[in-house]
Amino acid sequence: EDQVTQSPEALRLQEGESSSLNCSYTVSGLRGLFWYRQDPGKGPEFLFTLYSAGEEKEKERLKATLTKKESFLHITAPKPEDSATYLCAVSGGYNKLIFGAGTRLAVHP
Amino acid sequence: GAGVSQSPSNKVTEKGKDVELRCDPISGHTALYWYRQRLGQGLEFLIYFQGNSAPDKSGLPSDRFSAERTGESVSTLTIQRTQQEDSAVYLCASSSPDPGGRSFGQGTRLTVV
């Protein structure tokens, strides 16, 4: 059964304190791994898609990496505006995304 | 606006009533998805539409849930005889045939009292 596990559930950082969020997955025939950001009361906002082990993508202070079993979302020198819930999802087919429960990130000044 | 639009943004209904949620996808997006998000949890797949193909309904939790889509435009998700466990945020997303990122709407927060 396709499954996604994210850790930690919650993370509190000081502004400028770099860290990483983990997404472990099991899926039959990975077609893509997706990272989303979700702010309270809003729908998820697309960040990255990774398709194969070894792939990396960057956007501002965020960098996503992918191995055969997990993905990391690295946050470098975070700012308070990076506070959000970060969701990871995998696709074993084009029609479904299997989401993890998310990591709630709080960045304090 | 160019984004996915959902209405209403909030809905409070009495247990046993039927509700209808609406989603307007991004123009030109052939794929449309409905997800449910319970408080503090990840997104749960409900149903998927792709063009004129038969929808993938495998995520619908019971026969009280149904959805329709008119061509490649508006979709409605209907919940009949609502129960308290139906309380959640219902999110709609659309995408082009490329399996890249889906664009999500703001969601409809459903509260069954």
Side-chain angles (χ1 to χ4, degrees):
Chain A
E1 181 182 345
D2 297 346
Q3 192 169 2
V4 177
T5 303
Q6 292 188 247
S7 63
E9 290 185 11
L11 180 63
R12 177 188 170 118
L13 298 174
Q14 289 298 121
E15 184 172 3
E17 179 186 3
S18 300
S19 188
S20 296
L21 314 182
N22 177 265
C23 171
S24 298
Y25 66 90
T26 54
V27 65
S28 302
L30 180 71
R31 291 183 182 266
L33 184 141
F34 304 81
W35 282 98
Y36 285 85
R37 169 189 171 131
Q38 187 173 29
D39 292 296
K42 296 190 175 181
E45 174 190 345
F46 171 71
L47 293 174
F48 304 109
T49 308
L50 302 167
Y51 293 104
S52 58
E55 188 175 359
E56 298 183 353
K57 288 193 177 174
E58 290 188 63
K59 180 179 179 180
E60 296 181 352
R61 295 177 292 281
L62 301 177
K63 183 169 80 172
T65 62
L66 181 64
T67 72
K68 290 185 177 180
K69 295 183 178 180
E70 58 191 350
S71 176
F72 291 94
L73 184 65
H74 306 278
I75 303 176
T76 301
K79 298 181 178 181
E81 54 261 42
D82 294 323
S83 298
T85 295
Y86 289 86
L87 298 168
C88 172
V90 296
S91 174
Y94 290 113
N95 55 339
K96 294 182 188 179
L97 285 185
I98 308 299
F99 279 83
T103 293
R104 294 188 309 279
L105 174 65
V107 182
H108 296 268
Chain B
V4 177
S5 178
Q6 291 188 245
S7 60
S9 55
N10 283 283
K11 175 74 176 177
V12 180
T13 189
E14 293 181 352
K15 179 181 173 180
K17 299 282 189 183
D18 298 351
V19 295
E20 190 173 278
L21 313 180
R22 176 186 170 105
C23 172
D24 281 278
I26 292 172
S27 178
H29 279 188
T30 57
L32 187 146
Y33 315 79
W34 283 97
Y35 290 87
R36 176 169 70 179
Q37 187 174 31
R38 291 195 164 114
L39 187 64
Q41 298 187 18
L43 278 67
E44 175 188 4
F45 169 79
L46 297 177
I47 189 169
Y48 159 75
F49 296 90
Q50 173 61 61
N52 294 320
S53 302
D56 178 350
K57 303 180 181 181
S58 60
L60 294 179
S62 78
D63 59 8
R64 297 187 295 104
F65 288 72
S66 63
E68 294 184 350
R69 187 181 185 192
T70 306
E72 293 186 352
S73 60
V74 172
S75 175
T76 56
L77 176 68
T78 301
I79 307 173
Q80 296 178 311
R81 306 181 301 282
T82 52
Q83 304 295 313
Q84 287 186 329
E85 62 262 28
D86 298 334
S87 296
V89 175
Y90 290 82
L91 290 158
C92 175
S94 69
S95 72
S96 64
D98 184 320
R102 291 150 174 79
S103 296
F104 282 84
Q106 299 293 302
T108 294
R109 181 176 299 279
L110 175 66
T111 303
V112 181
V113 297

